[in-house]
Amino acid sequence: VGPSPASDAVFIEWRSDPAVLRLRDAAGRIVLQRHLPRGTTTIPVGAFARGSYGVEAASPDGHLLHRSTVILE
């Protein structure tokens, strides 16, 4: 997941089976949820407020597979 900090887009390199991507704001609210295919995915973030966001990848049945943080400027 990068770059961090980011202003326009975040890039995610996913090498596992397809998953569900969630972006959470500092309050823990899901502000974006979408399919995460294998390979590189670009997430436009220019419309989101500045701050720290949690990035999560979960299996289709809800098991958390990865968690990281990205800073948006």
Side-chain angles (χ1 to χ4, degrees):
V1 177
S4 185
S7 58
D8 296 319
V10 172
F11 304 95
I12 300 170
E13 178 69 31
W14 189 248
R15 295 186 177 149
S16 297
D17 291 335
V20 177
L21 172 73
R22 293 186 190 102
L23 189 65
R24 294 183 183 266
D25 66 14
R29 295 178 296 237
I30 297 172
V31 296
L32 175 79
Q33 181 170 306
R34 64 181 282 187
H35 176 74
L36 181 61
R38 189 181 308 227
T40 302
T41 298
T42 303
I43 306 294
V45 294
F48 292 112
R50 294 168 44 175
S52 178
Y53 288 79
V55 180
E56 300 174 350
S59 64
D61 61 358
H63 290 93
L64 186 63
L65 303 171
H66 177 80
R67 179 182 290 152
S68 63
T69 302
V70 66
I71 306 297
L72 303 185
E73 293 186 329

